[in-house]
Amino acid sequence: LAFEVVSLLLLARLVEPMYGSKEFLKFLFIVDFSVCFMVFVAVYITYAATASGKLLYTEFSGFHGIVAGLLVAVKQIMPDHEVKLFGVLSITVKYLPSILLLVLTALAAALKQYDQLAFLYLGAYNAWVYLRFFQQQSDNAYQGDPSDDFKFSSFFPPFMATPIDAVAGLLGIVFRLRHTAGADAKGMNINGAPSMLGSDSADANRRRERGAKALEERLGMKKHGSDADVEKAAGAAPAAEGSSAAAAQ
C-alpha cells in the first residue's frame, strides 16, 4: 500500500499538470470504476459457471490498477523521456508500463498469488483504451490519441508489432474504434470524421511540448518559492542580530 501511495503521488505530479485537475480526476475515476466493475463481473460469471465456494471468500482489492493506468498516461505524455531507476539504471518512459507488468507478474508467479493481476492488467488496458479513443483533446473538438507512439503494439517488443497491429486493426474495425493514421487520413476520430489533429508525429510533438512546458512551469514555481523563502530568511537574520545587539546595549 505504501508503494502504491508513493507511486500515485509521484506520477500525479507528472500527469496532472498536463491533463488539468478536472480531466485528471475524470481519468482516475474512469480507470478505477471500470477495473472494479470488470473484476466484479468476471468473478460473478466464474462463480456462476463453477459454483466454487472459494470465490466467495477470496479478497479482491488493490490500487495497482490506478498505478498501471498512470504509467500508461505518462507514456502518452512523454514517451521518449528517460528516467533513472535507483540512480543507476536509465530507462525510457514508454517502456515503464510493460516493465511494471512483467515484474509484478513474475513476482505473483513466484509467490503464487494471482488474485491481484486482474487489477493490474485491466488498469493498464482500460487506461490505454480511454486515452487512445475517448479522451477529449484540449486543443480541438476531437477525441483520442492516434499517434504511432501510442499504438497497442508499442507495449510489446518491436518484433511483435506486425502481427499485433494486424489483430488490433481487425478488432478496431469490428468495434469501430479504429484510428486511421498517417498521411492519407491525417488522423481520424472514433466517429470517422476528419480530424484536425494533424499527422501523428506532429500531434505527439505538440503533446510532448505541452507536457514539458507544464513540468517546467511547475518546477519554476517551486524554485521561485524556494528562492523567496531563502531571501526572506536571509533578510530576517540581520534584523534578528540587530534586535539582539540593541537588547544587549
Side-chain angles (χ1 to χ4, degrees), residues 171-198:
L171 294 177
I173 294 174
V174 172
F175 293 101
R176 302 186 66 184
L177 292 174
R178 184 187 179 196
H179 282 296
T180 304
D184 295 334
K186 297 295 185 182
M188 299 283 287
N189 75 333
I190 60 172
N191 296 319
S195 172
M196 297 178 64
L197 290 174

Side-chain angles (χ1 to χ4, degrees), residues 37 40-41 120 145 158 199:
F37 177 76
F40 172 79
V41 171
L120 184 68
D145 178 3
S199 65

Side-chain angles (χ1 to χ4, degrees), residues 52-89:
S52 174
K54 181 181 179 181
L55 288 175
L56 298 177
Y57 303 98
T58 301
E59 180 180 351
F60 294 93
S61 62
F63 203 65
H64 14 283
I66 291 292
V67 175
L70 285 173
L71 280 178
V72 173
V74 173
K75 170 186 171 69
Q76 180 202 35
I77 295 171
M78 47 182 69
D80 297 324
H81 186 75
E82 290 189 354
V83 295
K84 283 190 175 181
L85 298 180
F86 311 108
V88 179
L89 186 60

Side-chain angles (χ1 to χ4, degrees), residues 58-174:
T58 301
E59 180 180 351
F60 294 93
S61 62
F63 203 65
H64 14 283
I66 291 292
V67 175
L70 285 173
L71 280 178
V72 173
V74 173
K75 170 186 171 69
Q76 180 202 35
I77 295 171
M78 47 182 69
D80 297 324
H81 186 75
E82 290 189 354
V83 295
K84 283 190 175 181
L85 298 180
F86 311 108
V88 179
L89 186 60
S90 181
I91 299 177
T92 306
V93 167
K94 63 183 178 182
Y95 300 124
L96 287 180
S98 302
I99 292 174
L100 176 70
L101 293 176
L102 287 174
V103 170
L104 293 185
T105 300
L107 183 62
L111 299 177
K112 296 183 179 180
Q113 297 179 359
Y114 303 98
D115 299 336
Q116 312 304 323
L117 289 182
F119 290 89
L120 184 68
Y121 281 90
L122 287 174
Y125 181 73
N126 292 355
W128 175 80
V129 169
Y130 171 72
L131 297 176
R132 179 70 170 173
F133 299 106
F134 298 103
Q135 185 186 42
Q136 188 71 38
Q137 298 295 327
S138 59
D139 54 353
N140 53 63
Y142 294 95
Q143 295 173 307
D145 178 3
S147 62
D148 288 339
D149 289 334
F150 204 56
K151 295 190 299 184
F152 187 68
S153 59
S154 66
F155 291 87
F156 298 87
F159 68 88
M160 300 177 65
T162 300
I164 290 175
D165 285 340
V167 175
L170 179 60
L171 294 177
I173 294 174
V174 172

